[in-house]
Coordinates of all heavy atoms in Angstrom, one line a residue:
M1 N 43.9 129.5 87.3 CA 45.2 129.6 86.7 C 45.4 128.4 85.8 O 45.1 127.3 86.2 CB 46.3 129.6 87.8 CG 47.7 129.5 87.3 SD 49.0 129.9 88.6 CE 48.5 128.7 89.9
K2 N 45.9 128.7 84.6 CA 46.2 127.6 83.6 C 47.6 127.6 83.3 O 48.2 128.6 83.0 CB 45.4 127.8 82.4 CG 43.9 127.6 82.5 CD 43.1 127.9 81.3 CE 41.6 127.9 81.5 NZ 40.9 128.4 80.4
I3 N 48.3 126.4 83.4 CA 49.7 126.3 83.1 C 49.9 125.3 82.0 O 49.4 124.2 82.1 CB 50.5 125.9 84.4 CG1 50.3 126.9 85.5 CG2 52.0 125.7 84.0 CD1 51.0 126.5 86.8
A4 N 50.6 125.7 81.0 CA 50.9 124.7 79.9 C 52.4 124.4 80.0 O 53.2 125.3 80.1 CB 50.6 125.3 78.5
V5 N 52.7 123.1 80.0 CA 54.1 122.7 80.0 C 54.5 122.1 78.6 O 53.9 121.1 78.2 CB 54.3 121.6 81.1 CG1 55.8 121.2 81.2 CG2 53.9 122.2 82.5
V6 N 55.4 122.7 78.0 CA 55.8 122.3 76.6 C 57.3 122.2 76.5 O 58.1 122.7 77.3 CB 55.3 123.3 75.5 CG1 53.8 123.4 75.5 CG2 55.9 124.7 75.8
G7 N 57.8 121.5 75.5 CA 59.3 121.4 75.3 C 59.6 120.2 74.5 O 58.7 119.4 74.2
K8 N 60.9 120.0 74.3 CA 61.3 118.9 73.5 C 61.2 117.6 74.3 O 61.1 117.6 75.5 CB 62.8 119.0 73.2 CG 63.1 120.1 72.2 CD 64.6 120.3 72.0 CE 65.3 119.2 71.4 NZ 66.7 119.4 71.1
G9 N 61.1 116.4 73.6 CA 61.1 115.1 74.2 C 62.3 115.0 75.2 O 63.4 115.3 74.8
G10 N 62.0 114.5 76.3 CA 63.1 114.2 77.3 C 63.5 115.4 78.1 O 64.5 115.3 78.9
S11 N 62.8 116.6 77.9 CA 63.3 117.8 78.6 C 62.7 117.9 80.0 O 63.1 118.8 80.7 CB 62.9 119.0 77.7 OG 61.5 119.1 77.5
G12 N 61.8 117.0 80.4 CA 61.3 117.0 81.7 C 59.8 117.5 81.9 O 59.4 117.8 83.0
K13 N 59.1 117.5 80.7 CA 57.7 118.0 80.8 C 56.8 117.2 81.7 O 56.1 117.8 82.5 CB 57.1 118.0 79.4 CG 57.7 118.8 78.3 CD 57.0 118.7 77.0 CE 57.0 117.3 76.4 NZ 58.4 116.8 76.1
T14 N 56.9 115.9 81.6 CA 56.0 115.0 82.4 C 56.4 115.1 83.9 O 55.5 115.3 84.7 CB 56.1 113.6 81.9 OG1 55.7 113.5 80.5 CG2 55.2 112.7 82.7
T15 N 57.6 115.1 84.2 CA 58.1 115.2 85.6 C 57.7 116.5 86.2 O 57.1 116.5 87.3 CB 59.6 115.0 85.6 OG1 60.0 113.8 84.9 CG2 60.1 114.9 87.1
T16 N 57.9 117.6 85.4 CA 57.6 118.9 85.9 C 56.1 119.0 86.1 O 55.6 119.6 87.2 CB 58.1 120.0 84.9 OG1 59.5 119.9 84.8 CG2 57.7 121.4 85.4
S17 N 55.3 118.5 85.2 CA 53.8 118.6 85.3 C 53.3 117.9 86.5 O 52.4 118.4 87.2 CB 53.2 118.0 84.0 OG 53.6 118.7 82.9
A18 N 53.9 116.7 86.7 CA 53.4 115.9 87.9 C 53.7 116.6 89.2 O 52.9 116.6 90.1 CB 54.0 114.5 87.8
V19 N 54.9 117.1 89.3 CA 55.3 117.8 90.5 C 54.5 119.0 90.8 O 54.0 119.3 91.9 CB 56.8 118.2 90.5 CG1 57.2 119.1 91.7 CG2 57.7 116.9 90.5
L20 N 54.2 119.8 89.7 CA 53.4 121.0 89.8 C 52.0 120.6 90.3 O 51.4 121.2 91.2 CB 53.3 121.8 88.5 CG 54.5 122.6 88.1 CD1 54.3 123.1 86.7 CD2 54.7 123.8 89.1
A21 N 51.4 119.6 89.6 CA 50.0 119.2 89.9 C 49.9 118.7 91.3 O 49.0 119.1 92.1 CB 49.6 118.1 88.9
R22 N 50.8 117.9 91.8 CA 50.7 117.3 93.1 C 51.0 118.4 94.2 O 50.3 118.4 95.2 CB 51.7 116.1 93.3 CG 51.2 115.0 92.4 CD 52.0 113.7 92.7 NE 51.7 113.1 94.0 CZ 51.9 111.9 94.3 NH1 52.5 111.1 93.4 NH2 51.6 111.4 95.5
T23 N 51.9 119.3 93.8 CA 52.1 120.4 94.8 C 50.9 121.3 95.0 O 50.5 121.6 96.1 CB 53.3 121.3 94.3 OG1 54.5 120.4 94.2 CG2 53.6 122.4 95.3
F24 N 50.3 121.7 93.9 CA 49.1 122.5 94.0 C 48.0 121.8 94.7 O 47.3 122.3 95.5 CB 48.6 122.9 92.6 CG 49.4 123.9 91.9 CD1 49.8 123.8 90.6 CD2 49.9 125.1 92.6 CE1 50.6 124.8 89.9 CE2 50.7 126.0 92.0 CZ 51.1 125.9 90.6
A25 N 47.8 120.5 94.4 CA 46.7 119.7 95.0 C 46.9 119.6 96.5 O 46.0 119.7 97.3 CB 46.6 118.4 94.4
R26 N 48.2 119.4 96.9 CA 48.5 119.3 98.3 C 48.3 120.6 99.1 O 48.0 120.6 100.3 CB 50.0 118.9 98.5 CG 50.2 117.5 98.3 CD 51.7 117.1 98.5 NE 52.0 115.8 98.0 CZ 53.2 115.2 98.2 NH1 54.1 115.8 98.9 NH2 53.4 114.0 97.7
Q27 N 48.3 121.7 98.3 CA 48.0 123.0 98.9 C 46.5 123.3 99.0 O 46.1 124.3 99.4 CB 48.6 124.1 98.1 CG 50.2 124.2 98.2 CD 50.8 125.2 97.2 OE1 50.1 125.7 96.3 NE2 52.0 125.5 97.4
G28 N 45.7 122.3 98.5 CA 44.3 122.4 98.6 C 43.6 123.0 97.4 O 42.4 123.3 97.4
R29 N 44.4 123.3 96.3 CA 43.8 123.8 95.1 C 43.2 122.7 94.3 O 43.7 121.6 94.2 CB 44.9 124.5 94.3 CG 45.6 125.7 94.9 CD 46.8 126.1 94.1 NE 47.6 127.1 94.8 CZ 47.6 128.4 94.5 NH1 46.8 128.8 93.6 NH2 48.4 129.2 95.2
A30 N 42.0 123.0 93.7 CA 41.4 122.1 92.8 C 42.3 122.0 91.6 O 42.6 123.0 90.9 CB 40.0 122.6 92.4
T31 N 42.8 120.8 91.3 CA 43.8 120.7 90.2 C 43.4 119.6 89.2 O 43.1 118.5 89.5 CB 45.2 120.2 90.9 OG1 45.5 121.1 91.9 CG2 46.3 120.2 89.8
L32 N 43.3 120.1 88.0 CA 43.0 119.2 86.8 C 44.2 119.2 85.9 O 44.6 120.2 85.4 CB 41.8 119.8 86.1 CG 41.4 119.1 84.8 CD1 41.1 117.6 85.0 CD2 40.2 119.8 84.1
A33 N 44.8 118.0 85.8 CA 45.9 117.8 84.9 C 45.4 117.2 83.6 O 44.7 116.2 83.6 CB 46.9 116.9 85.5
L34 N 45.8 117.8 82.4 CA 45.4 117.3 81.1 C 46.6 116.9 80.4 O 47.5 117.7 80.1 CB 44.6 118.4 80.4 CG 43.4 119.0 81.0 CD1 42.8 120.1 80.2 CD2 42.3 117.9 81.1
D35 N 46.7 115.6 80.1 CA 47.8 115.1 79.3 C 47.4 115.1 77.8 O 46.6 114.3 77.4 CB 48.1 113.7 79.8 CG 49.5 113.2 79.3 OD1 50.1 113.9 78.4 OD2 50.0 112.2 79.8
C36 N 48.1 116.0 77.1 CA 47.8 116.1 75.6 C 49.0 115.5 74.8 O 49.0 115.6 73.6 CB 47.7 117.5 75.2 SG 46.9 118.6 76.4
D37 N 49.9 114.9 75.5 CA 51.1 114.4 74.8 C 50.8 113.2 73.9 O 49.9 112.4 74.1 CB 52.2 114.0 75.8 CG 53.6 114.1 75.3 OD1 53.9 113.5 74.3 OD2 54.4 114.8 76.0
T38 N 51.6 113.1 72.8 CA 51.4 111.9 71.9 C 52.0 110.7 72.7 O 51.6 109.5 72.3 CB 52.2 112.1 70.6 OG1 53.5 112.5 71.0 CG2 51.6 113.1 69.7
N39 N 52.8 110.9 73.7 CA 53.3 109.8 74.5 C 52.8 110.1 76.0 O 53.5 110.6 76.8 CB 54.8 109.8 74.5 CG 55.4 108.7 75.3 OD1 54.8 107.7 75.7 ND2 56.7 108.9 75.8
P40 N 51.5 109.8 76.2 CA 50.9 110.3 77.4 C 51.1 109.4 78.7 O 50.4 108.5 78.9 CB 49.4 110.3 77.1 CG 49.3 109.2 76.0 CD 50.6 109.0 75.4
N41 N 52.2 109.7 79.4 CA 52.5 108.9 80.6 C 52.5 109.7 81.9 O 53.1 109.4 82.9 CB 53.8 108.2 80.4 CG 54.9 109.2 79.9 OD1 54.8 110.4 80.1 ND2 56.0 108.7 79.4
L42 N 51.7 110.8 81.9 CA 51.6 111.6 83.1 C 50.9 110.8 84.2 O 51.3 111.0 85.4 CB 50.8 112.9 82.8 CG 50.6 113.9 84.0 CD1 52.0 114.3 84.5 CD2 49.8 115.1 83.5
G43 N 50.0 109.9 83.9 CA 49.4 109.1 84.9 C 50.4 108.3 85.7 O 50.3 108.2 86.9
I44 N 51.4 107.8 85.0 CA 52.5 107.1 85.7 C 53.2 108.0 86.7 O 53.4 107.7 87.9 CB 53.5 106.5 84.7 CG1 52.9 105.6 83.7 CG2 54.6 105.8 85.5 CD1 52.4 104.3 84.2
S45 N 53.5 109.2 86.2 CA 54.3 110.1 87.1 C 53.4 110.7 88.3 O 53.9 111.1 89.3 CB 54.8 111.3 86.3 OG 55.8 110.9 85.4
L46 N 52.1 110.6 88.1 CA 51.2 111.1 89.1 C 50.9 110.0 90.1 O 50.2 110.2 91.1 CB 49.9 111.6 88.6 CG 49.9 113.0 87.9 CD1 48.6 113.2 87.2 CD2 50.2 114.0 88.9
G47 N 51.4 108.7 89.8 CA 51.2 107.6 90.8 C 50.0 106.8 90.5 O 49.6 106.1 91.4
L48 N 49.5 106.8 89.3 CA 48.2 106.1 89.0 C 48.5 104.6 88.6 O 47.6 103.8 88.7 CB 47.5 106.8 87.9 CG 46.5 107.9 88.3 CD1 45.9 108.6 87.1 CD2 45.4 107.3 89.2
G49 N 49.7 104.4 88.2 CA 50.0 103.0 87.7 C 49.7 102.8 86.3 O 49.0 103.6 85.6
E50 N 50.2 101.7 85.7 CA 50.1 101.5 84.3 C 48.7 101.2 83.8 O 48.3 101.7 82.8 CB 51.0 100.3 84.0 CG 51.9 100.5 82.7 CD 53.0 99.4 82.6 OE1 54.0 99.5 83.4 OE2 52.7 98.5 81.8
E51 N 48.0 100.4 84.6 CA 46.7 99.9 84.1 C 45.7 101.1 84.0 O 45.0 101.2 82.9 CB 46.1 98.9 85.1 CG 45.0 98.1 84.5 CD 44.5 97.0 85.5 OE1 45.4 96.4 86.2 OE2 43.3 96.8 85.6
V52 N 45.6 101.9 85.0 CA 44.7 103.1 84.9 C 45.2 104.0 83.8 O 44.3 104.6 83.1 CB 44.6 103.8 86.3 CG1 43.8 105.0 86.2 CG2 44.1 102.8 87.3
T53 N 46.5 104.3 83.7 CA 47.0 105.2 82.7 C 46.6 104.7 81.3 O 46.2 105.4 80.5 CB 48.5 105.3 82.8 OG1 48.8 105.8 84.2 CG2 49.1 106.3 81.8
E54 N 46.8 103.4 81.1 CA 46.4 102.8 79.8 C 44.9 102.9 79.5 O 44.5 103.2 78.4 CB 46.8 101.3 79.8 CG 48.3 101.0 79.7 CD 48.9 101.5 78.4 OE1 48.3 101.5 77.4 OE2 50.1 101.8 78.5
S55 N 44.1 102.8 80.5 CA 42.6 103.0 80.3 C 42.3 104.4 79.9 O 41.4 104.6 79.1 CB 41.9 102.5 81.6 OG 42.0 103.5 82.6
L56 N 43.0 105.4 80.5 CA 42.8 106.8 80.1 C 43.2 107.0 78.6 O 42.5 107.7 77.9 CB 43.5 107.7 81.0 CG 43.0 107.8 82.5 CD1 44.0 108.7 83.3 CD2 41.6 108.3 82.5
I57 N 44.3 106.4 78.2 CA 44.8 106.5 76.9 C 43.8 105.9 75.9 O 43.5 106.4 74.8 CB 46.2 105.9 76.7 CG1 47.2 106.7 77.6 CG2 46.6 105.9 75.2 CD1 48.5 105.9 77.7
A58 N 43.2 104.7 76.3 CA 42.2 104.1 75.5 C 41.0 104.9 75.3 O 40.4 105.0 74.2 CB 41.8 102.7 76.1
L59 N 40.6 105.7 76.3 CA 39.4 106.6 76.2 C 39.7 107.7 75.2 O 38.9 108.0 74.4 CB 39.1 107.2 77.6 CG 38.2 106.5 78.5 CD1 38.1 107.2 79.9 CD2 36.8 106.4 77.9
R60 N 40.9 108.3 75.2 CA 41.3 109.3 74.2 C 41.2 108.7 72.8 O 40.8 109.3 71.9 CB 42.7 109.9 74.5 CG 43.1 110.9 73.4 CD 44.3 111.6 73.7 NE 45.5 110.9 73.4 CZ 46.7 111.4 73.6 NH1 46.9 112.7 74.0 NH2 47.8 110.7 73.3
D61 N 41.8 107.5 72.7 CA 41.8 106.8 71.4 C 40.3 106.7 70.9 O 40.0 106.8 69.7 CB 42.4 105.5 71.4 CG 43.9 105.6 71.6 OD1 44.5 106.7 71.5 OD2 44.6 104.5 72.0
A62 N 39.4 106.4 71.8 CA 38.0 106.2 71.4 C 37.4 107.5 70.9 O 36.6 107.5 70.0 CB 37.2 105.6 72.6
V63 N 37.8 108.6 71.5 CA 37.3 109.9 71.0 C 37.9 110.2 69.7 O 37.2 110.6 68.7 CB 37.7 111.0 72.0 CG1 37.4 112.4 71.4 CG2 37.0 110.9 73.4
D64 N 39.2 109.9 69.5 CA 39.9 110.2 68.2 C 39.3 109.4 67.1 O 39.3 109.8 65.9 CB 41.4 109.9 68.4 CG 42.1 111.0 69.2 OD1 41.5 112.1 69.3 OD2 43.3 110.8 69.6
T65 N 38.8 108.1 67.4 CA 38.3 107.3 66.3 C 36.8 107.5 66.2 O 36.1 106.9 65.3 CB 38.5 105.8 66.6 OG1 38.0 105.5 67.9 CG2 40.0 105.5 66.6
G66 N 36.2 108.4 67.0 CA 34.8 108.7 66.8 C 33.9 107.7 67.6 O 32.6 107.8 67.5
E67 N 34.4 106.8 68.4 CA 33.6 105.9 69.2 C 33.0 106.6 70.4 O 32.0 106.1 70.9 CB 34.4 104.7 69.7 CG 34.9 103.8 68.6 CD 36.1 102.9 69.1 OE1 35.9 102.3 70.1 OE2 37.1 102.9 68.4
Q68 N 33.6 107.7 70.8 CA 33.1 108.4 71.9 C 33.0 109.9 71.5 O 33.8 110.4 70.7 CB 34.1 108.4 73.1 CG 34.2 107.1 73.8 CD 33.3 107.1 75.0 OE1 32.6 108.1 75.4 NE2 33.2 105.9 75.7
E69 N 32.0 110.6 72.0 CA 31.8 112.0 71.7 C 32.8 112.8 72.5 O 33.2 112.4 73.6 CB 30.4 112.4 72.2 CG 29.2 111.9 71.4 CD 29.1 112.6 70.1 OE1 29.2 113.8 70.1 OE2 29.0 111.9 69.1
H70 N 33.2 113.9 71.9 CA 34.0 114.9 72.7 C 33.2 115.4 73.9 O 32.0 115.4 73.9 CB 34.3 116.1 71.9 CG 35.5 115.9 70.9 ND1 36.8 116.1 71.3 CD2 35.6 115.4 69.7 CE1 37.6 115.8 70.3 NE2 36.9 115.4 69.3
A71 N 33.9 115.7 75.0 CA 33.2 116.3 76.1 C 32.6 117.7 75.7 O 33.2 118.4 74.9 CB 34.2 116.5 77.3
S72 N 31.5 118.0 76.4 CA 30.9 119.3 76.0 C 31.3 120.4 76.9 O 31.0 121.6 76.6 CB 29.3 119.1 76.1 OG 29.0 118.7 77.4
S73 N 32.0 120.1 78.0 CA 32.4 121.1 79.0 C 33.5 120.5 79.8 O 33.8 119.3 79.8 CB 31.3 121.5 79.9 OG 30.9 120.4 80.7
A74 N 34.2 121.4 80.6 CA 35.2 120.9 81.5 C 34.7 119.9 82.5 O 35.3 118.8 82.8 CB 35.9 122.0 82.2
D75 N 33.5 120.2 83.0 CA 32.9 119.3 84.0 C 32.6 117.9 83.4 O 32.8 116.9 84.0 CB 31.6 119.9 84.6 CG 31.9 121.0 85.6 OD1 33.1 121.1 86.0 OD2 31.0 121.8 85.8
D76 N 32.0 118.0 82.2 CA 31.7 116.7 81.4 C 33.0 115.9 81.2 O 33.0 114.7 81.3 CB 31.0 117.1 80.1 CG 30.5 115.9 79.4 OD1 30.0 115.0 80.0 OD2 30.6 115.9 78.1
L77 N 34.1 116.7 80.8 CA 35.3 116.0 80.5 C 35.8 115.2 81.8 O 36.2 114.1 81.7 CB 36.4 117.0 80.1 CG 37.7 116.5 79.7 CD1 38.3 117.4 78.5 CD2 38.7 116.5 80.8
V78 N 35.8 115.9 82.9 CA 36.3 115.3 84.2 C 35.4 114.1 84.5 O 35.9 113.0 84.9 CB 36.3 116.3 85.3 CG1 36.7 115.6 86.6 CG2 37.3 117.4 85.0
R79 N 34.1 114.2 84.4 CA 33.2 113.2 84.8 C 33.4 111.9 83.9 O 33.4 110.8 84.4 CB 31.7 113.7 84.6 CG 30.7 112.8 85.2 CD 29.3 113.4 85.2 NE 28.9 113.9 83.8 CZ 28.5 113.2 82.8 NH1 28.4 111.9 83.0 NH2 28.2 113.7 81.6
R80 N 33.5 112.2 82.6 CA 33.6 111.0 81.6 C 35.0 110.5 81.4 O 35.1 109.3 81.1 CB 32.9 111.4 80.3 CG 31.4 111.6 80.4 CD 30.8 112.1 79.1 NE 31.3 111.5 78.0 CZ 31.5 112.1 76.8 NH1 31.2 113.3 76.6 NH2 31.9 111.4 75.8
F81 N 36.0 111.3 81.5 CA 37.3 110.9 81.1 C 38.3 111.0 82.2 O 39.5 110.7 82.0 CB 37.8 111.7 79.8 CG 36.9 111.6 78.7 CD1 36.1 112.7 78.2 CD2 36.7 110.4 78.0 CE1 35.3 112.6 77.1 CE2 35.9 110.3 76.9 CZ 35.1 111.4 76.5
G82 N 37.9 111.5 83.3 CA 38.9 111.8 84.4 C 38.9 110.8 85.4 O 38.0 110.0 85.6
V83 N 40.1 110.7 86.1 CA 40.2 109.9 87.3 C 40.9 110.7 88.4 O 41.6 111.7 88.1 CB 41.0 108.6 87.1 CG1 40.3 107.6 86.1 CG2 42.4 108.9 86.6
E84 N 40.7 110.2 89.6 CA 41.4 110.9 90.7 C 42.7 110.2 91.0 O 42.7 109.0 91.2 CB 40.5 111.0 92.0 CG 41.1 111.9 93.1 CD 40.1 112.2 94.2 OE1 38.9 112.1 94.0 OE2 40.6 112.5 95.3
A85 N 43.7 111.0 91.1 CA 45.1 110.5 91.3 C 45.5 110.8 92.7 O 44.8 111.6 93.4 CB 46.0 111.1 90.3
P86 N 46.6 110.3 93.2 CA 47.1 110.6 94.6 C 47.1 112.1 94.8 O 47.4 112.9 93.9 CB 48.5 110.0 94.6 CG 48.3 108.8 93.7 CD 47.4 109.2 92.6
D87 N 46.9 112.5 96.0 CA 46.9 113.9 96.5 C 45.6 114.7 96.0 O 45.5 115.9 96.2 CB 48.1 114.7 96.0 CG 49.4 114.2 96.7 OD1 49.3 113.9 97.9 OD2 50.4 114.2 96.1
G88 N 44.7 114.0 95.3 CA 43.5 114.6 94.8 C 43.6 115.3 93.5 O 42.7 116.0 93.1
V89 N 44.7 115.1 92.8 CA 44.8 115.6 91.4 C 43.8 114.9 90.5 O 43.6 113.6 90.7 CB 46.2 115.3 90.8 CG1 46.3 115.7 89.4 CG2 47.3 116.1 91.6
H90 N 43.1 115.6 89.6 CA 42.3 114.9 88.6 C 43.0 114.9 87.3 O 43.6 115.9 86.9 CB 40.9 115.6 88.5 CG 40.0 115.3 89.6 ND1 40.0 116.1 90.8 CD2 39.1 114.3 89.8 CE1 39.1 115.6 91.6 NE2 38.5 114.5 91.1
L91 N 43.0 113.8 86.7 CA 43.8 113.6 85.4 C 42.9 113.1 84.3 O 42.0 112.2 84.5 CB 44.9 112.6 85.6 CG 45.6 112.2 84.3 CD1 46.4 113.4 83.7 CD2 46.5 111.0 84.5
A92 N 43.0 113.7 83.1 CA 42.4 113.2 81.9 C 43.4 113.2 80.8 O 44.2 114.1 80.7 CB 41.1 114.0 81.5
V93 N 43.4 112.2 79.9 CA 44.2 112.2 78.7 C 43.3 112.7 77.6 O 42.3 112.1 77.3 CB 44.7 110.8 78.4 CG1 45.5 110.8 77.1 CG2 45.6 110.3 79.6
V94 N 43.7 113.8 77.0 CA 42.8 114.5 76.1 C 43.4 114.6 74.7 O 44.7 114.6 74.5 CB 42.4 115.9 76.6 CG1 41.7 115.8 77.9 CG2 43.7 116.8 76.8
S95 N 42.6 114.8 73.7 CA 43.0 115.0 72.3 C 42.9 116.5 71.9 O 42.4 117.3 72.7 CB 42.2 114.1 71.4 OG 40.9 114.4 71.5
A96 N 43.5 116.8 70.8 CA 43.4 118.2 70.3 C 42.0 118.6 70.0 O 41.2 117.8 69.6 CB 44.3 118.3 69.1
I97 N 41.7 119.9 70.1 CA 40.5 120.5 69.7 C 40.7 120.9 68.3 O 41.5 121.8 68.0 CB 40.1 121.7 70.6 CG1 39.9 121.2 72.0 CG2 38.8 122.3 70.1 CD1 39.7 122.4 73.0
Q98 N 40.0 120.3 67.3 CA 40.2 120.5 65.9 C 39.7 121.8 65.4 O 40.3 122.5 64.7 CB 39.6 119.4 65.1 CG 40.2 118.0 65.4 CD 41.7 117.9 65.2 OE1 42.3 118.6 64.5 NE2 42.3 116.9 65.9
N99 N 38.5 122.2 65.9 CA 37.8 123.4 65.4 C 37.3 124.2 66.6 O 36.1 124.3 66.8 CB 36.7 123.1 64.5 CG 37.2 122.4 63.2 OD1 38.0 122.9 62.5 ND2 36.7 121.2 63.0
P100 N 38.2 124.8 67.4 CA 37.8 125.5 68.6 C 37.0 126.7 68.3 O 37.2 127.4 67.3 CB 39.1 125.9 69.3 CG 40.1 125.9 68.2 CD 39.7 124.9 67.2
E101 N 36.0 127.0 69.1 CA 35.2 128.2 69.0 C 36.1 129.4 69.5 O 37.1 129.1 70.1 CB 34.0 128.1 70.0 CG 33.0 127.0 69.6 CD 32.2 127.4 68.3 OE1 31.9 128.6 68.1 OE2 32.0 126.4 67.6
P102 N 35.7 130.6 69.2 CA 36.5 131.7 69.6 C 36.6 131.7 71.2 O 35.7 131.3 71.8 CB 35.7 133.0 69.2 CG 35.0 132.5 68.0 CD 34.6 131.0 68.3
G103 N 37.7 132.2 71.7 CA 37.8 132.2 73.2 C 38.9 131.2 73.6 O 39.6 130.7 72.7
C104 N 39.1 131.0 74.8 CA 40.1 130.1 75.3 C 39.5 128.8 75.7 O 38.9 128.7 76.7 CB 40.8 130.8 76.5 SG 42.1 129.7 77.1
P105 N 39.7 127.7 74.9 CA 39.2 126.4 75.3 C 39.7 126.0 76.7 O 39.0 125.3 77.4 CB 39.7 125.5 74.2 CG 40.1 126.4 73.1 CD 40.5 127.7 73.7
Ligands
ADP201 N1 65.0 118.2 86.9 C1 65.4 117.0 86.5 N2 66.7 116.6 86.8 C2 67.2 115.4 86.3 N3 66.5 114.6 85.6 C3 65.2 114.9 85.3 C4 64.6 116.1 85.7 N4 63.4 116.2 85.2 C5 63.2 115.0 84.5 N5 64.3 114.2 84.6 C6 64.4 112.9 84.0 O1 64.6 113.1 82.6 C7 63.9 112.1 81.9 C8 62.8 112.7 80.9 O2 61.9 113.3 81.8 P1 60.3 113.4 81.3 O3 59.7 114.2 82.4 O4 59.8 112.1 81.0 O5 60.5 114.3 80.0 P2 59.4 114.6 78.8 O6 58.1 114.4 79.4 O7 59.7 116.0 78.4 O8 59.7 113.7 77.7 C9 63.3 111.1 82.9 O9 64.1 110.0 83.1 C10 63.2 112.0 84.2 O10 63.3 111.2 85.3
MG202 MG1 56.5 113.1 78.8

């Protein structure tokens, strides 16, 4: 199951995403949270703290500036850019896919 949370700034996207992710993870579901926001603070809401959240943002910046290669698969993305948050949620801060292949990225 894939869930996208979208909306205006301040409408509750981050809070809702964190509650959904932690609820699913507590139910024993493998849960990968991807923060694509320009203001990516889902790590804070997931309980990771500022330092780890900032390090994930720095990794995304490195991809955006070309210092790091894009991940080649979801597994590669989690391994290289992901961290484990409380309740077993995996989180990565990700950038847009500029030229997606056909299908659902
Ligand atoms: N269901 C809710 N009821 C009341 N306040 C909420 C609710 N969801 C979020 N908030 C508060 O609204 C503010 C914006 O929420 P946030 O999740 O950061 O929004 P967004 O990610 O869309 O910018 C925060 O202060 C948050 O605590
Ligand atoms: Mg937000």
Side-chain angles (χ1 to χ4, degrees):
M1 176 167 53
K2 293 176 183 170
I3 299 174
V5 179
V6 297
K8 289 174 67 174
S11 59
K13 298 181 298 295
T14 299
T15 308
T16 301
S17 301
V19 170
L20 283 172
R22 292 188 71 161
T23 300
F24 288 136
R26 284 183 192 186
Q27 291 172 347
R29 297 169 189 260
T31 304
L32 173 60
L34 300 175
D35 194 349
C36 324
D37 207 306
T38 49
N39 179 24
N41 49 19
L42 183 56
I44 303 289
S45 294
L46 284 172
L48 274 172
E50 224 169 283
E51 197 176 321
V52 176
T53 301
E54 290 294 331
S55 72
L56 292 176
I57 296 168
L59 272 175
R60 175 171 82 177
D61 290 347
V63 172
D64 285 344
T65 58
E67 292 162 54
Q68 286 268 355
E69 289 285 314
H70 279 269
S72 58
S73 65
D75 286 342
D76 186 39
L77 184 147
V78 174
R79 187 174 54 76
R80 289 175 45 212
F81 302 113
V83 294
E84 188 169 339
D87 293 323
V89 175
H90 285 87
L91 171 69
V93 177
V94 297
S95 54
I97 300 171
Q98 302 299 341
N99 297 300
E101 296 292 321
C104 180

